[in-house]
Amino acid sequence: MDFIWLIPILPGVGAALNGVFGIRFFGKRASGLLACATMATAFVLSVAAVIQLVGLPAEARAHDVTLFTWIPPIALQTVNGIGTFQIPWSFRLDPLSALMILVVTGVGFLIHVYSIGYMADESRGAYARYFSYLNLFCFFMLTLVLGANFLVMFVGWEGVGLCSYLLIGYWYEKKSASDAGKKAFIANRIGDWGFLIGVFLIFFTFGTLDFRAVANAAGSMPVETAQFGTLSLICLLLFVGATGKSAQIPLYVWLPDAMEGPTPVSALIHAATMVTAGVYMVGRNAVLFSHAPMTMEIVAIVGVLTALMAASIGLVQNDIKRVLAYSTVSQLGYMFVAMGVGAYAAGAFHLMTHAFFKALLFLCSGAVIHAMAGEQDMRRMGGLKKYLPVTYVTMMIGTLAIAGIFPLSGFFSKDEILLNAFLSNKIVWAVAALTALMTAFYMFRLISLTFLGAYRGPAWETSGPKAVHEAAAHGVSHPADPFAHGQAARDDHEISHGPADGVHTVVAGGHGHGAWHGPHEAPRTMTVPLMALAVGAVIAGFVGIPAALGGDNAIEKFLEPSFVAAGVAHEGALTAPAHQGEGTAATGAAADAAAPEHEKPEMAAAGEIGLMLFSVFLGLLGIWVAYRFYVRRPEISEYLAARFAGAHRVLTNKYYVDEIYGATVVNGTLGSANGLWAIDRNVVDGAVNGSGWFTIFTSWVSGLIDKYIVDGLVNLVGSILERSSFVFRRAQTGLIQNYALLMLVGVFVFVTYLLLR
């Protein structure tokens, strides 16, 4: 465990080597193998570290590794006076971070392998750049989950935001992709503002940023049930950051647009890892949140509303990746419901199972897009079951898992969330149950439109030129198009592959055919990861079998020490939180642990099994309705769309949220910027320019005064002297007789004056 620092370092080294040398010197094979090797090694180290951790007693399952002092001691003000601000670069391995590193490295490795086949048609430099970005993301994500304090976490937090921007906008020549990257970056920065303010307030309140120290200090404080105090404000600010990173209302709008990136990016960043960072952060600060029940109510309400809103939008989407995108937003809402009702272990459990089945679903959608020459509209598919048998079976497993069908992984984790929601708040449970029904419906709608029924896509023949013409007639361009399958100019399609030689020869996923010859199964580099993830989607839930089904919920017991303050008794600490009256969220596990005399509600095994059966019934009902509407009687869905055209239009346009944001936030920001620019130009610059013109005018007047008055007086005196000197000069003739005459005249005048006086 002392070498856990190698786990993030290895993909970081892979990113540096591919980014510095790979783009210029490595071949595709070398770039792909380097990236996959670093992730595989990181996964092996993660497994070894977790095995060592499990071997320790439950109360001792936390191991810190400090590499160096990052920020030396600085005297800063705290609520208790001057404190010392010192940040070590430390990593902590405990049950929660152990779960996360296994997910990041394990699922990440499979996605890296899948990318070798999926991105095969990229140029050598672009291929190395892609894997450099992918490795860099894993480096920051592992830093985020292993960080022992808020600032180390924040480095990873900001790093995954940067990598998300780079990977979403990977095809930067495509305007919709570059715009989506910028949208994700800005939305995350808005949330990060709240997160960072919360971190500042944490240090001011506790004098430390170490997670364990903060949890211990918060655990000794009273639960803020009667007022919205400092702890509630801290948690609310942290949750603002989580809404940005984990795509919750009101900052969820970036994630659906993020589908502009390559499909493996969607699977890694926007299904399995980055978007769960907000959920992880709330779980990491479980003691803090458990002492802020008002904020937990907000978390639960925002989570369930996000889940419902995103699920309703997913009902009518036709782009295969956007259905999964809104499904991700909805499932993240489920995780926040768990956190909001104090079921932290259930939320982390669902995070883990979701990583398997949602990554599987995204990669299967990539295989479908690959098979259909870049087509993403499900209305142009259908009947692909016989062409893509492996993709069909694995995607069906993922669909049944997310629908919560027993005994797949999604059943166990979703049931835990619904059970805890039922015990805490019946309204939240009812909305979450309705969302589960919608989830099963829209996911099996995806299966029905894509794999079942009659084939509705472009026709093809074995002859290359004719196949191209047939495909073009149906809106699918030749795969050798400069923007990979000809979809780059279309906002609702991703670029799935690039040209091989720019003429008419393309190696589509390694197949090496000159024209699209119809739907085909993906190469083994893509199907093997699908099979591995499908196995995970099937068996991952067995680590959380509840007592009602004869299990002991092993994952809950394993994660329990991460959610309580040091020294708190663990027995039963993570059972469902106390009932606080209808319409009030629970205070959470750690709060209950802080007040052990507070009786926790329990449900009899029969009641729990009844809720499970109801949940499975909802899933089966959604599947049956989708099958009937889109396979057996497709005219029903067409009739309903026409009958409720207004509602259908609202859902199709995603409640016009983007348009509302555009008209208010975006245009308001631009309008205020233009207004400020006008003030700057006319008032600020006007004052400066006016001062300049006034200075110029006064200097001009001063010049006139200097020229015509000051210089005029000087020149006047000179002129007078010059003219008078002319007169006196006439008198100085140099003739003695003239001087004698003047003397005689003078004597005459003098004598006359004396005589006449």
Side-chain angles (χ1 to χ4, degrees):
M1 288 190 289
D2 288 334
F3 295 98
I4 58 174
W5 58 273
L6 282 173
I7 297 172
I9 287 296
L10 285 169
V13 171
L17 291 176
N18 262 328
V20 176
F21 303 107
I23 294 176
R24 294 172 176 81
F25 308 114
F26 291 176
K28 289 185 181 181
R29 183 180 180 85
S31 296
L33 288 178
L34 173 63
C36 291
T38 57
M39 288 303 300
T41 308
F43 175 66
V44 171
L45 289 175
S46 299
V47 171
V50 173
I51 291 174
Q52 286 182 298
L53 185 73
V54 173
L56 298 174
E59 64 276 6
R61 287 176 182 166
H63 184 73
D64 287 9
V65 175
T66 299
L67 299 183
F68 54 87
T69 298
W70 177 21
I71 300 178
I74 301 172
L76 288 181
Q77 181 69 41
T78 69
V79 70
N80 296 318
I82 299 298
T84 301
F85 180 78
Q86 181 177 2
I87 304 298
W89 191 274
S90 298
F91 294 131
R92 174 170 296 144
L93 185 66
D94 68 350
L96 183 58
S97 60
L99 175 70
M100 292 300 295
I101 62 174
L102 289 177
V103 168
V104 175
T105 57
V107 176
F109 169 68
L110 294 174
I111 293 172
H112 275 68
V113 173
Y114 179 95
S115 296
I116 291 177
Y118 191 84
M119 304 297 290
D121 296 328
E122 294 293 308
S123 65
R124 182 184 57 79
Y127 195 77
R129 175 168 60 90
Y130 170 82
F131 278 106
S132 177
Y133 290 166
L134 218 58
N135 268 176
L136 186 64
F137 167 80
C138 291
F139 162 74
F140 281 121
M141 188 67 199
L142 290 167
T143 299
L144 188 157
V145 299
L146 283 173
N149 56 69
F150 280 95
L151 279 195
V152 175
M153 170 190 267
F154 189 70
V155 171
W157 187 276
E158 290 297 289
V160 294
L162 168 65
C163 293
S164 176
Y165 163 76
L166 295 173
L167 285 164
I168 294 170
Y170 171 74
W171 285 302
Y172 54 85
E173 302 96 337
K174 184 182 177 188
K175 186 178 186 303
S176 57
S178 61
D179 287 347
K182 289 181 284 188
K183 186 175 183 179
F185 193 83
I186 292 171
N188 275 269
R189 295 295 75 70
I190 295 172
D192 294 349
W193 165 83
F195 181 81
L196 198 55
I197 298 299
V199 171
F200 294 158
L201 189 55
I202 286 171
F203 179 80
F204 181 76
T205 303
F206 300 107
T208 180
L209 292 179
D210 181 83
F211 287 124
R212 179 54 58 188
V214 170
N216 293 339
S220 64
M221 299 174 69
V223 178
E224 296 179 343
T225 54
Q227 61 178 355
F228 193 88
T230 302
L231 296 183
S232 298
L233 179 59
I234 289 172
C235 292
L236 183 61
L237 289 169
L238 294 179
F239 181 59
V240 169
T243 60
K245 197 67 68 182
S246 294
Q248 297 296 287
I249 293 174
L251 298 177
Y252 73 94
V253 291
W254 67 269
L255 194 145
D257 287 0
M259 298 305 108
E260 291 290 342
T263 298
V265 171
S266 303
L268 178 64
I269 297 182
H270 309 117
T273 52
M274 186 191 106
V275 292
T276 60
V279 180
Y280 167 80
M281 184 268 293
V282 174
R284 174 56 71 198
N285 295 283
V287 178
L288 263 178
F289 277 85
S290 296
H291 283 68
M294 296 183 187
T295 301
M296 289 186 69
E297 289 184 27
I298 296 173
V299 173
I301 292 171
V302 170
V304 77
L305 291 179
T306 302
L308 178 64
M309 182 179 186
S312 63
I313 295 173
L315 295 175
V316 299
Q317 296 299 306
N318 295 312
D319 185 299
I320 188 170
K321 285 183 65 179
R322 286 191 178 270
V323 174
L324 297 178
Y326 283 104
S327 171
T328 298
V329 176
S330 182
Q331 294 302 304
L332 289 168
Y334 254 100
M335 297 176 205
F336 278 107
V337 168
M339 297 296 171
V341 300
Y344 302 107
F349 184 24
H350 195 59
L351 183 157
M352 184 263 287
T353 60
H354 177 265
F356 282 106
F357 59 69
K358 185 52 66 65
L360 171 62
L361 290 169
F362 265 115
L363 296 187
C364 286
S365 72
V368 171
I369 295 168
H370 170 275
M372 293 298 294
E375 183 61 69
Q376 292 180 216
D377 193 330
M378 296 184 296
R379 294 170 297 184
R380 296 177 178 231
M381 299 178 187
L384 297 182
K385 173 183 175 181
K386 61 181 178 180
Y387 303 110
L388 289 74
V390 175
T391 303
Y392 168 69
V393 172
T394 53
M395 197 164 197
M396 179 63 77
I397 291 173
T399 298
L400 295 176
I402 196 175
I405 304 302
F406 180 84
L408 280 74
S409 61
F411 164 79
F412 296 100
S413 58
K414 185 177 289 187
D415 176 71
E416 279 295 307
I417 295 175
L418 290 173
L419 171 63
N420 283 279
F422 183 84
L423 293 173
S424 175
N425 188 309
K426 301 298 189 298
I427 297 176
V428 171
W429 170 81
V431 177
L434 176 61
T435 302
L437 173 64
M438 291 181 175
T439 301
F441 174 82
Y442 68 66
M443 285 307 304
F444 207 79
R445 173 180 177 267
L446 182 151
I447 292 290
S448 300
L449 290 175
T450 304
F451 293 100
L452 306 180
Y455 177 74
R456 300 179 301 277
W460 73 91
E461 293 186 13
T462 56
S463 58
K466 189 171 183 180
V468 172
H469 293 313
E470 291 285 351
H474 289 78
V476 180
S477 300
H478 192 285
D481 182 87
F483 283 101
H485 299 320
Q487 306 299 339
R490 298 173 58 178
D491 289 339
D492 58 341
H493 287 73
E494 78 165 81
I495 311 167
S496 57
H497 299 290
D501 56 16
V503 190
H504 289 293
T505 303
V506 64
V507 183
H511 291 280
H513 44 270
W516 184 64
H517 297 302
H520 52 276
E521 190 62 271
R524 291 186 63 81
T525 51
M526 295 170 64
T527 55
V528 170
L530 297 184
M531 298 174 192
L533 288 170
V535 172
V538 172
I539 68 173
F542 294 129
V543 298
I545 300 176
L549 296 180
D552 61 352
N553 210 333
I555 192 169
E556 180 178 293
K557 293 183 177 179
F558 174 69
L559 292 172
E560 181 180 341
S562 297
F563 302 134
V564 295
V568 176
H570 299 307
E571 186 65 31
L574 291 180
T575 53
H579 211 20
Q580 303 205 9
E582 197 65 35
T584 303
T587 59
D592 291 337
E597 73 280 359
H598 198 72
E599 183 180 355
K600 304 179 183 68
E602 294 182 359
M603 177 175 284
E608 189 173 342
I609 292 175
L611 284 178
M612 293 180 188
L613 292 175
F614 182 69
S615 173
V616 173
F617 167 75
L618 291 177
L620 293 175
L621 176 63
I623 290 173
W624 177 80
V625 172
Y627 181 76
R628 181 171 176 80
F629 281 13
Y630 293 96
V631 179
R632 299 299 299 262
R633 299 284 301 277
E635 66 274 10
I636 296 178
S637 62
E638 297 172 2
Y639 167 76
L640 291 175
R643 176 68 177 79
F644 301 100
H648 187 272
R649 184 165 51 253
V650 170
L651 293 178
T652 301
N653 288 281
K654 302 158 285 187
Y655 293 102
Y656 297 97
V657 172
D658 282 314
E659 288 78 4
I660 293 172
Y661 279 179
T664 56
V665 178
V666 177
N667 289 343
T669 301
L670 292 175
S672 61
N674 289 331
L676 291 173
W677 175 75
I679 293 174
D680 181 69
R681 182 189 63 181
N682 298 321
V683 178
V684 179
D685 287 353
V688 173
N689 294 334
S691 299
W693 283 110
F694 179 74
T695 302
I696 293 172
F697 174 75
T698 55
S699 65
W700 177 75
V701 173
S702 177
L704 291 178
I705 294 173
D706 183 69
K707 180 178 179 181
Y708 293 104
I709 297 178
V710 178
D711 289 354
L713 289 174
V714 173
N715 294 335
L716 178 62
V717 172
S719 179
I720 292 173
L721 293 175
E722 180 183 7
R723 293 180 181 277
S724 61
S725 68
F726 175 78
V727 175
F728 289 118
R729 190 172 63 250
R730 297 292 296 175
Q732 301 296 324
T733 62
L735 297 176
I736 295 177
Q737 55 270 34
N738 289 342
Y739 298 152
L741 179 61
L742 287 175
M743 292 174 63
L744 181 61
V745 170
V747 171
F748 175 78
V749 171
F750 180 70
V751 171
T752 301
Y753 172 75
L754 290 176
L755 292 176
L756 294 178
R757 193 177 142 195

